[in-house]
């Protein structure tokens, strides 16, 4: 599994007080419980891997900022889900959905990661093959021109 995010980066992203509240099941806790933080980070990495492995060799040579941001957004939502939807601030679910959409775009090739591909290694061109010929046409060009 690739590492797009560390536990400390997630804690810094959500703030220490929020990380303490979301990672602990004990009311009034003052320290971060590492197991839920690590689980959220690992799950976010796994989700991102599942999207990127369809198009890229893993692990990536470098982690682009957009992938790190997606990992933060995914892991943050996973932490909030531990406590239930009542505690989730507005925008957390939307940013999670946006992160997954970006991952879909990377996996389908709509968007490409800037990971510094070597000059001698170009992406394979996309080709489309079909079994149809002009003789298979149902409507002739002259017929279509009437419209």
């Amino acid at each position: 599994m690739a590492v797009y995010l560390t536990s400390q980066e997630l804690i810094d992203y959500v703030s220490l007080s929020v990380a303490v509240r979301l990672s602990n099941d004990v009311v009034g806790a003052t320290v971060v419980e590492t197991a839920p933080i690590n689980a959220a980070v690992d799950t976010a990495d796994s989700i991102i891997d599942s999207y990127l492995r369809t198009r890229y060799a893993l692990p990536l040579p470098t982690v682009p900022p957009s992938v790190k941001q997606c990992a933060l957004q995914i892991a943050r939502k996973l932490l909030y889900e531990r406590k239930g939807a009542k505690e989730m601030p507005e925008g957390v679910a939307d940013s999670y959905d946006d992160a997954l959409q970006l991952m879909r775009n990377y996996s389908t090739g709509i968007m490409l990661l800037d990971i510094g591909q070597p000059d001698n290694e170009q992406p394979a061109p996309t080709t489309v093959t079909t079994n149809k010929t002009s003789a298979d046409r149902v409507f002739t060009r002259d017929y279509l021109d009437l419209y």
Side-chain angles (χ1 to χ4, degrees):
M1 178 186 309
V3 177
Y4 305 108
L5 175 65
T6 65
S7 296
Q8 187 59 50
E9 287 171 327
L10 178 58
I11 293 168
D12 293 343
Y13 183 68
V14 298
S15 83
L16 182 59
S17 61
V18 171
V20 168
R21 185 169 44 86
L22 295 178
S23 67
N24 278 285
D25 294 326
V26 177
V27 177
T30 58
V31 294
V32 174
E33 181 65 40
T34 58
I37 299 286
N38 291 338
V41 168
D42 290 345
T43 303
D45 283 352
S46 177
I47 290 169
I48 290 173
D49 278 351
S50 69
Y51 281 104
L52 295 183
R53 83 169 43 97
T54 62
R55 184 163 292 273
Y56 299 98
L58 297 178
L60 297 175
T62 60
V63 178
S66 61
V67 173
K68 182 172 289 292
Q69 184 65 30
C70 287
L72 286 166
Q73 292 169 342
I74 292 167
R76 177 178 65 169
K77 181 167 188 274
L78 294 172
L79 271 181
Y80 273 104
E81 284 180 345
R82 276 191 82 247
K83 293 294 190 173
K86 293 178 188 174
E87 288 198 34
M88 193 174 305
E90 188 176 321
V92 171
D94 291 338
S95 66
Y96 172 83
D97 293 339
D98 292 343
L100 291 186
Q101 183 58 50
L102 185 59
M103 288 296 107
R104 278 186 216 101
N105 290 345
Y106 286 143
S107 73
T108 58
I110 292 173
M111 295 176 70
L112 299 175
L113 287 174
D114 184 18
I115 55 174
Q117 238 185 46
D119 293 337
N120 61 351
E121 190 178 317
Q122 296 299 319
T126 304
T127 59
V128 177
T129 57
T130 180
N131 63 353
K132 301 297 178 191
T133 65
S134 59
D136 294 331
R137 286 189 107 153
V138 175
F139 301 106
T140 65
R141 173 67 61 197
D142 293 334
Y143 183 78
L144 291 175
D145 285 342
L146 295 174
Y147 294 95

